Amino acid sequence: MGELAEVGFMYRAASQGIAVAKPYGDSLPYDFLVQHGRRLLRVQVKSCFSPERRGYTGFPIIVACHWGRGKLAYSSDQIDFIAAFIAKYDAWYLIPVESLQNSKNIRLYPSGRKLKRPGGNYERYREAWDLLKDENYGDREEDSAPRSNAAQAELKDTQNR
């Protein structure tokens, strides 16, 4: 099912205007390179296709790479983001690897239920596709156009809010 999540990631990222490249082979710790403007990032896709288990809330996601017989937490030397897909809710979480703080397993709560266990703090990354984007990319043409003094002051005031 992981391959299905990868195809879904490519579709969703591309529909957000993010270019997606799949490296040849499986020897790298990331599944995709994504680019938006000058921003280039390494993304590892994880997924959960199983239903919530009775007596449990949330969906488990392994956020570690397998090394020998064990698991090692991903580091920022290996990847930039985990893209976690919860099939039951058609929900994507774009989680910066630094926010995992060396965790090997997390739980995600797209249903909104929870929230005594760790994991609710990842809700801010749900559908956070903008984190993969170059924030300066869309403004390039607009910034190069000449502006009147009033327009420049209005833009500066808007940016300072």
Side-chain angles (χ1 to χ4, degrees):
M1 296 301 260
E3 292 85 3
L4 187 57
E6 289 181 6
V7 170
F9 175 80
M10 288 189 291
Y11 172 78
R12 288 294 299 276
S15 70
Q16 296 286 326
I18 300 166
V20 181
K22 175 89 171 136
Y24 176 76
D26 286 328
S27 59
L28 297 170
Y30 52 89
D31 292 318
F32 296 102
L33 290 171
V34 297
Q35 182 177 3
H36 185 264
R38 298 183 138 263
R39 188 168 169 86
L40 184 66
L41 299 166
R42 301 159 298 173
V43 178
Q44 175 64 37
V45 175
K46 300 292 185 177
S47 60
C48 183
F49 283 86
S50 55
E52 274 182 297
R53 289 180 39 205
R54 185 182 212 134
Y56 291 89
T57 59
F59 294 86
I61 299 289
I62 297 171
V63 290
C65 53
H66 297 279
W67 193 263
R69 295 176 192 235
K71 292 185 275 187
L72 294 174
Y74 286 108
S75 74
S76 59
D77 291 336
Q78 298 171 303
I79 65 171
D80 300 301
F81 280 84
I82 292 284
F85 178 64
I86 308 300
K88 179 178 178 178
Y89 291 90
D90 191 24
W92 282 97
Y93 291 79
L94 292 303
I95 305 170
V97 70
E98 295 89 12
S99 71
L100 297 172
Q101 300 175 344
N102 292 320
S103 295
K104 295 178 187 174
N105 299 287
I106 62 172
R107 279 193 175 270
L108 300 174
Y109 301 92
S111 68
R113 292 186 300 132
K114 191 268 167 194
L115 285 167
K116 291 181 182 175
R117 297 180 57 151
N121 53 331
Y122 298 112
E123 286 307 305
R124 66 178 170 237
Y125 300 117
R126 185 174 178 176
E127 304 299 338
W129 295 97
D130 285 347
L131 294 177
L132 302 181
K133 294 182 177 181
D134 180 346
E135 60 191 35
N136 299 317
Y137 184 65
D139 299 335
R140 189 173 303 158
E141 289 179 14
E142 191 176 289
D143 286 343
S144 63
R147 293 192 180 90
S148 68
N149 288 341
Q152 287 176 354
E154 183 178 306
L155 177 64
K156 188 175 181 180
D157 182 52
T158 304
Q159 290 173 340
N160 289 333
R161 287 185 204 164

